[in-house]
Amino acid sequence: MSTTGPVPDLAGRATACADRLLDADEVLLASHIDADGLTSAAVASTALERADLPFETVFKKQLDETEIATIAAREYDTVLFTDFGSGQLDAIAAHERAGDFQPVIADHHQPADAETEYHLNPLLEGINGASELSGAGAAYVLARALEARGGQSADNRDLAALAVVGAVGDMQAVGGELVGANRGIVDEGVAAGVLAEGTDLSLYGKQTRPLPKLFEYATEVQIPGVSGDEAGSVRFLEGLDVDLKEAGEWRTWVDLTDDERQTVASALVKHAVQRGVPAKKINTLVGTTYELVDEPRGTELRDASEFSTLLNATARYERADVGLGVCLGDRDGALDRAQTLLSNHRRNLSEGLEYVRREGVTHEDHLQWFDAGEAIRETIVGIVAGMALGTDGVSASKPIVALARKNEAETKVSSRGTGTLVREGLDLSVVMGEAARSVGGDGGGHDIAAGATVPAGEERAFVDAADDIVADQTG
Ligand code: C5P
Ligand code: C5P
Ligand code: C5P
Ligand code: ZN
């Protein structure tokens, strides 16, 4: 059994964290409410269970001082934080010093200045936390260390599948492919027989969407006459020399044979070239896909990208229990409930994008922003902002800042950038943190995607402060 796991650089930290957990009588596991946070919790809780450690799992929309105090008030002596915790290290360390609980943190967000020994984060070892290892990846590294240190016979490599869903859910793929430490996790999953990697059409919905919908709804690449065009999409498919229906019903992409896929994909590329879609965009039509081979074909669970969206559809709507149930193997019909939540989530995303298209964004010198008020739920406004970047009227050469009402007193902010902007110096975790603190709020995250909470009424001052900081970073 390997003691270094998939990410040797993190082995020392993982071992320290595992040993602290193995010393505990029971553990409170706290995690974040998105796809990566849910898969982090699923990976960590499975590993704790296999190590015979009693635990309870709780989810938080955001970890702030109030939430940490709530956790401290619980009877648990050991608290494992996954997919958050690093950014709140100072508050956590203060509770550790006060003897409230012993923290163990497996995260990938930008750490605050304080230090604790039991802190597993790729950024502490020079590994990128936005593209090389996710929260679920950090939890996986910990799971492998727990297995090694606990002397278990159980092999935690099967959890690599969920770690990959977390990384894909956090949009960590670079040029369509997982890289860096994530790569090591993919390799372990393939070796353990739970994952298959392939090159395929990169559109969302290959498992579950009837073919015309797969093409009509594709937002990743805009293909004139097909994208957003129901009749055009049907016409395109009917013009091909392949029988794409079965008993009168459209088939899905995964129902097609390799030859049939080849025919459709080539025709799509040809159609896109003829309609003037740039080669750079056309190249992104094909990418690496990650299949969970133990999951049923034709369900969201089979494809890492569809799986992650299914999870966002639960936890971002206060139903983390449903998402966790799905990750842990459809306990009590969780999959059915998640699918219902998914149709609601997809409708909200599409209405959110429509809102941005209709209302437009306001351009400052160094960023662009919109305030959705109550029109977009604060838990998904970041997803909408990310999907809007680079579409009509939304420039890809400036970061986008999206605001939404959180409650009477507070406004939620989400920001998204691009790889190119980050290479030019953009660090949105700093922008969100500093601009928010300058108006009495707080924030953080990653260089390419970050968020904040600001007091109601301070939105304009916040946007101005953020614009200045972006100017300093990229100027
Ligand atoms: O809280 P957490 O780290 O899980 O969320 C990461 C967020 O950053 C996600 O919303 C993800 O889509 C976004 N992101 C992005 N582009 C990247 C990396 C992350 O939009 N390249
Ligand atoms: O919060 P973050 O930015 O990671 O959210 C991105 C989410 O949006 C992913 O879960 C991704 O699967 C989903 N998405 C989608 N449809 C698209 C593009 C992204 O549901 N066309
Ligand atoms: O909420 P949103 O999807 O915009 O979050 C983007 C990233 O910023 C996530 O990684 C999230 O955990 C982080 N974030 C943060 N502090 C906040 C809000 C968001 O670290 N107050
Ligand atoms: Zn994450």
Side-chain angles (χ1 to χ4, degrees):
M1 193 185 307
S2 150
T3 50
T4 51
V7 191
D9 295 346
L10 289 172
R13 293 180 179 276
T15 299
C17 289
D19 288 349
R20 178 174 260 193
L21 291 170
L22 289 164
D23 276 345
D25 294 326
E26 51 178 4
V27 175
L28 180 62
L29 167 60
S31 195
H32 191 207
I33 58 138
D34 66 0
D36 190 34
L38 277 174
T39 47
S40 299
V43 167
S45 63
T46 304
L48 290 173
E49 197 168 294
R50 289 176 182 172
D52 281 329
L53 281 164
F55 64 92
E56 181 189 341
T57 310
V58 293
F59 289 93
K60 307 277 179 194
K61 197 189 278 187
Q62 212 179 289
L63 195 64
D64 55 20
E65 287 188 24
T66 315
E67 291 293 1
I68 297 168
T70 309
I71 287 170
R74 300 289 308 268
E75 68 278 19
Y76 291 90
D77 292 331
T78 304
V79 181
L80 169 58
F81 295 92
T82 57
D83 196 34
F84 55 24
S86 297
Q88 301 74 24
L89 212 54
D90 5 24
I92 292 172
H95 283 286
E96 181 177 25
R97 284 194 300 275
D100 297 337
F101 59 77
Q102 296 203 310
V104 176
I105 299 166
D107 189 10
H108 66 131
H109 292 94
Q110 200 58 54
D113 288 337
E115 238 320 346
T116 163
E117 259 177 277
Y118 306 97
H119 183 200
L120 173 60
N121 184 319
L123 294 158
L124 300 171
E125 304 295 340
I127 298 168
N128 189 311
S131 60
E132 295 182 319
L133 196 70
S134 70
Y140 178 79
V141 172
L142 176 62
R144 297 282 283 135
L146 272 169
E147 163 198 334
R149 303 296 286 180
Q152 278 169 249
S153 51
D155 178 351
N156 281 338
R157 286 181 312 165
D158 58 337
L159 302 175
L162 287 170
V164 165
V165 172
V168 169
D170 259 11
M171 318 261 291
Q172 295 211 327
V174 174
E177 192 178 359
L178 292 175
V179 300
N182 281 323
R183 178 78 249 155
I185 297 179
V186 170
D187 291 342
E188 290 202 357
V190 171
V194 294
L195 272 178
E197 197 179 3
T199 303
D200 202 346
L201 200 66
S202 61
L203 301 182
Y204 175 90
K206 292 191 290 292
Q207 293 289 331
T208 55
R209 283 186 173 159
L211 283 166
K213 297 288 171 206
L214 178 70
F215 296 116
E216 180 193 343
Y217 290 158
T219 52
E220 296 88 339
V221 182
Q222 291 293 318
I223 304 170
V226 172
S227 310
D229 184 343
E230 188 180 357
S233 183
V234 168
R235 225 178 303 120
F236 164 73
L237 290 163
E238 284 180 344
L240 304 177
D241 191 21
V242 192
D243 186 7
L244 298 174
K245 288 190 185 171
E246 200 170 292
E249 301 281 336
W250 285 103
R251 298 159 72 194
T252 60
W253 185 259
V254 293
D255 295 335
L256 305 184
T257 63
D258 286 346
D259 280 352
E260 289 170 332
R261 287 187 201 182
Q262 194 59 51
T263 306
V264 180
S266 310
L268 186 71
V269 168
K270 192 165 154 221
H271 178 99
V273 172
Q274 282 167 350
R275 303 297 173 107
V277 178
K280 207 172 126 205
K281 279 278 177 193
I282 291 176
N283 287 339
T284 67
L285 277 171
V286 172
T288 305
T289 54
Y290 302 95
E291 220 181 311
L292 282 74
V293 300
D294 289 338
E295 302 295 347
R297 257 176 192 280
T299 68
E300 292 82 2
L301 309 184
R302 184 84 182 194
D303 176 85
S305 162
E306 292 196 54
F307 198 147
S308 73
T309 300
L310 183 76
L311 295 179
N312 275 324
T314 66
R316 291 178 189 256
Y317 298 81
E318 277 124 42
R319 292 309 306 267
D321 58 320
V322 173
L324 186 63
V326 169
C327 291
L328 297 177
D330 184 25
R331 294 188 181 160
D332 309 320
L335 180 57
D336 264 1
R337 278 205 292 280
Q339 285 167 334
T340 304
L341 290 162
L342 178 62
S343 51
N344 174 55
H345 177 53
R346 301 213 64 88
R347 189 169 55 244
N348 289 342
L349 289 181
S350 117
E351 286 175 9
L353 275 172
E354 175 53 28
Y355 175 90
V356 179
R357 204 188 60 75
R358 196 174 61 240
E359 303 291 325
V361 297
T362 306
H363 285 268
E364 306 295 337
D365 290 343
H366 302 278
L367 58 77
Q368 53 197 329
W369 62 279
F370 66 91
D371 186 346
E374 299 194 350
I376 303 177
R377 213 183 146 88
E378 52 115 349
T379 53
I380 64 161
V381 73
I383 300 182
V384 173
M387 288 170 75
L389 199 60
T391 62
D392 278 351
V394 185
S395 165
S397 47
K398 283 179 194 174
I400 185 165
V401 174
L403 298 97
R405 174 69 60 91
K406 189 167 181 173
N407 53 46
E408 286 280 290
E410 290 173 317
T411 294
K412 166 70 202 296
V413 189
S414 280
S415 61
R416 298 289 186 271
T418 65
T420 306
L421 287 165
V422 168
R423 282 189 291 279
E424 288 165 13
L426 180 74
D427 184 346
L428 289 171
S429 75
V430 172
V431 176
M432 290 294 110
E434 287 184 1
R437 285 189 291 274
S438 78
V439 300
D442 205 2
H446 307 289
D447 49 12
I448 198 162
T453 301
V454 298
E458 295 294 337
E459 293 83 358
R460 182 70 242 183
F462 169 82
V463 168
D464 289 340
D467 192 42
D468 288 344
I469 303 168
V470 176
D472 286 345
Q473 289 179 347
T474 56

